[in-house]
Amino acid sequence: MKKKDIKVLVVDDEVAFANTLTQRLEMRDLKVGTAYDGEQALTKLKEEEPDVMVLDLKMPGMHGMEVLREIRKAYPDIQVIILTGHGTDKDAEEAKRLGGFDFLRKPADIDHLEHKIRRAFQEKLERTMTAIAFAEAGEFDTARKIIKEEDEEQ
Amino acid sequence: MEHKGEEHLRLLQLQFVGKILAGFTHEIKNYIAIIKESAGLMEDMVKLDKGQKGKPEQYLEIIRSIEEQIQKTNDLFRYLNRFAHRMDHEFSAFNINESLEELFALIQRVANQKRITLKKDFQREIPSFHGNPSIFQLVIFSFLEEKMTNLDKNSIITVKIGAKGNSIGVSISSEGVLKGEQDVQAMIPPEMRMFALEKLKGTVSESNGIIDVTLPLSR
């Protein structure tokens, strides 16, 4: 993997936490942006679409679950990892049902988080590559199906 | 009837404590997460630098951030400890300003989440009130919670405390837009709120959306 190939967006209303996490992930060769609430995150997506979003749940204004729902509708390619200090098992189930890639609780180990981000990116890449391979082989229906399945799963 | 009322009130107090604890633990988890990330960032910097050309100002900035989080954690623990001790005695002399400062600190996060500003307008050197401090906090919390749930974001709730004659008045007013859908029931049913207020020998009136709680100073 080339340096800073994976684009990440950290979304958390705790400014100190979001900024520090951003710095640490950047030191691990990820290209990281930061948003401090759900509305800001959705605005940032219009400028640049990240590969992976690290998303808090309890934020002022839009709740993280609402953000996840919006992303699934408008940006199905983005992988979302929930990182919350307040997550219940019910939240974890709901996030999975909505197509979240993973659900982590604060404080999380940075190496573990980095590993999850890379895996999420890998999975996204594999899906895209498979769809492209089918499309190149002229099997457009299958390629579409993969994309569609991806949307439906989420 | 009296017995059932007591039981119901006890249950409401437990729910109140649960809500306060949920908010508190969430806040503390956030502070710990920031401390952990800040310490981790210093570790990353040391590893990257290998001690060759450190940038002291960067380290100092991170240390200051850690100290700030520790201070916030300590303050919140102090408030929670005082809150817990409010239940030690059913009847005691307490300072209304302090008890509401404490309640504000413990519910601040909920207000932030809803983007509602809590404002204090407390008269200084208010006489001590004799009564059940825990029930007093529960009653005021129930009014605040109801307002916080029914008001739209960017609203302001002001709590004013002042001594008037032989009583202390707590006035709760709000500025802002009411949500289209009033999706909350009072945490305390009105009859239970009255039951709780009677225990404080207090009265409540509401006019133009301003809630006035009056508590007698003499026993």
Side-chain angles (χ1 to χ4, degrees), chain B residues 124-143:
Chain B
R124 282 186 184 180
E125 291 173 19
I126 207 107
S128 289
F129 175 70
H130 292 76
N132 186 322
S134 176
I135 287 179
F136 169 71
Q137 286 181 324
L138 169 69
V139 169
I140 302 300
F141 175 75
S142 77
F143 287 122

Side-chain angles (χ1 to χ4, degrees), chain A residues 12-14 16-17 20-21 23-24 27-28 37-39 56-62 84-86 105-110, chain B residues 22-23 25-27 29-34 36-41 43-45 48 58 65 69 109 112-115 153:
Chain A
D12 200 302
D13 63 310
E14 285 291 340
F17 177 80
T20 314
L21 186 62
Q23 270 183 278
R24 296 193 77 196
M27 286 168 128
R28 283 159 175 78
D37 60 42
E39 288 92 341
D56 187 19
L57 283 185
K58 281 221 164 185
M59 294 182 288
M62 252 180 128
T84 177
H86 205 62
R105 288 182 172 88
K106 288 180 189 172
D109 179 75
I110 190 78
Chain B
T25 48
H26 186 195
E27 197 74 338
K29 264 201 163 190
N30 271 325
Y31 295 156
I32 290 173
I34 296 169
K36 184 176 170 13
E37 290 311 324
S38 301
L41 179 60
E43 189 185 341
D44 289 348
M45 284 163 63
L48 207 72
Q58 264 186 298
S65 166
Q69 300 308 317
R109 183 168 187 89
N112 291 347
Q113 295 288 329
K114 295 175 187 290
R115 289 191 170 141
K153 60 185 177 185

